[in-house]
Amino acid sequence: MSLLRRLHPLDWLAGGLLALGALCVATGLLPTGPASDVLERIGPLVVFLATVIVLAELTGKAEVFDVVATWVARAGRGRYPLLFCLCVLFASVTTITLNLDTTAVLLTPVMLALATRVGIAPVPLAMTTVWLANTASLLLPVSNLTNLLAADRIALTPSEMAATMWAPQLAAIAVTMACLWVFYWRPGRRGETRYTPPPLPRPADPVLFRVSAVACAGFLLAILLADVPLWSASMAAALIVVAAFWVRGREALRLSLIPWRLLVLVPGMFLVVETVNAHGLHEILAAAMGSDNGVVGMLRSAAVGAGFSNVLNNLPAYLAGEAAIPVANHGQLLAQLIGVNVGPVITPWASLATLLWFERCRWHGTRIDLGRFFGTGFVLAVTGTLAATLALAATT
């Protein structure tokens, strides 16, 4: 009973979804063939989740994030507006060039370490990471898996996609900055007007620090330059860091490093979504979005993409929505892409990046008020999706 009382609401959600997914397969609502296909498809994703979180936790223990956070704090020179702009720039560039999930895993510990090093509230920094991990993921195919799928469907090269999505991306970031400042960063929310830049830290174990830093850098370079699959890059980096800790800090290696909640939630979520898709979701989405490739149709598609992302998850929402959009309607498809990238900031399960972010916050001990998360995320989802879609319509 004490174990049950310690379970987080998201633990109950994860277990419930897996049980429901298993029930769908057991009762025949989801045939075993499609169920096997789903589990085979998400296998690399599960490996990535497990290994990249182990990598992030051990890298944090090696104090790599503390050092990076200190550099950012010192660059801010004690001024909150400058620190705010630096954090926005840092999160946006990381998401655009690396991937929103990488931002959630590797940048969240940096931001939380920054709060600890400077002695400021961690929630504004944490919210900066999770919101921009989603809303700054429009510009390039590498920024988001949904972008890769959309670019492949309409044959956009990275430069062509950037030329098409630059205005929506700028609009989404601008709205995100406004919401971040009003809801989390303004003086009435954060309290202090200045902070004291911290001195540079000295890692307790320089060898672990260097090995972890090199492993993270190698991971990022591999996925950015070598087109290596995420799961293989994260596994290689994690094994290097685990080996280093096995030699120099074995007490840090424990089973709790593994993100059990996510490893339960992801298979359950995909099984349930596949079941729903097989029983009428396609027809519902087609009716909701229509076939208009003009401004009205684009707004409808973006709204449906954002809404279904927060109910289901942005990846299955995109896949289901893409199938319901006429092949020639490129504007409508890109508008739906805006909805599933900018919109999934309301519920904790709306994107994988948000789920990863919640895991990082829980590991750090940062409490996220779910009511405030839902409310402020709703405002950002509506205004950000609307602004980005109108920007797309105005520039295409």
Side-chain angles (χ1 to χ4, degrees):
M1 290 300 293
S2 60
L3 175 62
L4 294 178
R5 284 195 296 268
R6 289 199 302 269
L7 291 177
H8 189 275
L10 290 178
D11 294 322
W12 289 101
L13 173 67
L17 279 175
L18 184 59
L20 183 58
L23 183 63
C24 291
V25 176
T27 58
L29 283 173
L30 180 62
T32 54
S36 298
D37 292 340
V38 167
L39 294 178
E40 182 178 349
R41 192 164 66 241
I42 67 172
L45 176 62
V46 171
V47 174
F48 166 72
L49 285 175
T51 54
V52 81
I53 288 182
V54 170
L55 171 65
E57 293 211 8
L58 292 178
T59 302
K61 290 182 180 297
E63 301 178 75
V64 173
F65 300 138
D66 290 293
V67 172
V68 176
T70 300
W71 289 343
V72 175
R74 290 170 68 87
R77 301 177 183 177
R79 299 196 292 270
Y80 273 103
L82 179 55
L83 180 66
F84 170 68
C85 292
L86 287 171
C87 289
V88 168
L89 178 63
F90 194 13
S92 298
V93 170
T94 303
T95 299
I96 289 169
T97 59
L98 296 179
N99 181 273
L100 77 165
D101 299 329
T102 304
T103 297
V105 172
L106 297 184
L107 188 57
T108 301
V110 172
M111 292 295 198
L112 296 176
L114 172 59
T116 301
R117 296 287 300 171
V118 178
I120 60 179
V123 173
L125 291 158
M127 294 303 299
T128 300
T129 306
V130 70
W131 277 1
L132 286 165
N134 289 284
T135 63
S137 66
L138 285 171
L139 193 65
L140 298 174
V142 72
S143 306
N144 199 327
L145 179 56
T146 55
N147 296 5
L148 289 169
L149 298 171
D152 181 64
R153 168 160 164 165
I154 59 180
L156 285 178
T157 65
S159 59
E160 289 170 341
M161 186 166 191
T164 303
M165 301 300 286
W166 68 268
Q169 182 63 93
L170 287 179
I173 292 175
V175 172
T176 304
M177 289 181 68
C179 289
L180 281 168
W181 187 263
V182 170
F183 292 133
Y184 293 101
W185 276 85
R186 61 187 172 88
R189 286 293 175 190
R190 65 170 190 258
E192 301 294 331
T193 57
R194 292 185 64 86
Y195 66 90
T196 302
L200 287 174
R202 295 180 179 274
D205 190 324
V207 174
L208 283 178
F209 172 82
R210 287 193 292 268
V211 170
S212 299
V214 169
C216 282
F219 165 63
L220 297 178
L221 288 173
I223 63 176
L224 181 62
L225 301 178
D227 195 26
V228 174
L230 282 174
W231 68 268
S232 61
S234 61
M235 175 181 287
L239 288 175
I240 291 171
V241 176
V242 167
F245 270 87
W246 181 262
V247 174
R248 301 186 63 89
R250 196 171 302 180
E251 67 281 356
L253 301 177
R254 58 186 189 277
L255 286 176
S256 60
L257 291 172
I258 300 173
W260 300 109
R261 177 200 290 170
L262 287 179
L263 300 186
V264 170
L265 184 143
V266 170
M269 178 181 68
F270 273 81
L271 288 172
V272 170
V273 170
E274 187 69 18
T275 303
V276 174
N277 197 38
H279 291 276
L281 179 59
H282 176 85
E283 289 75 14
I284 294 173
L285 288 174
M289 291 189 293
S291 58
D292 177 16
N293 199 40
V295 176
V296 174
M298 292 167 71
L299 289 171
R300 285 177 63 178
S301 295
V304 171
F308 270 83
S309 292
N310 285 289
V311 173
L312 303 173
N313 177 269
N314 68 332
L315 180 55
Y318 172 80
L319 291 171
E322 181 190 70
I325 293 175
V327 174
N329 288 10
H330 292 180
Q332 194 180 12
L333 179 71
L334 292 175
Q336 193 227 355
L337 182 67
I338 289 172
V340 301
N341 284 15
V342 178
V345 291
I346 303 175
T347 56
W349 57 84
S351 74
L352 178 58
T354 307
L355 287 168
L356 291 166
W357 173 82
F358 264 102
E359 286 292 331
R360 301 294 83 226
C361 290
R362 185 175 71 160
W363 178 80
H364 184 267
T366 299
R367 180 181 177 275
I368 304 299
D369 183 284
L370 289 180
R372 183 164 177 75
F373 182 86
F374 291 148
T376 58
F378 177 81
V379 174
L380 174 59
V382 172
T383 56
T385 301
L386 178 62
T389 305
L390 292 176
L392 176 67
T395 55
T396 56

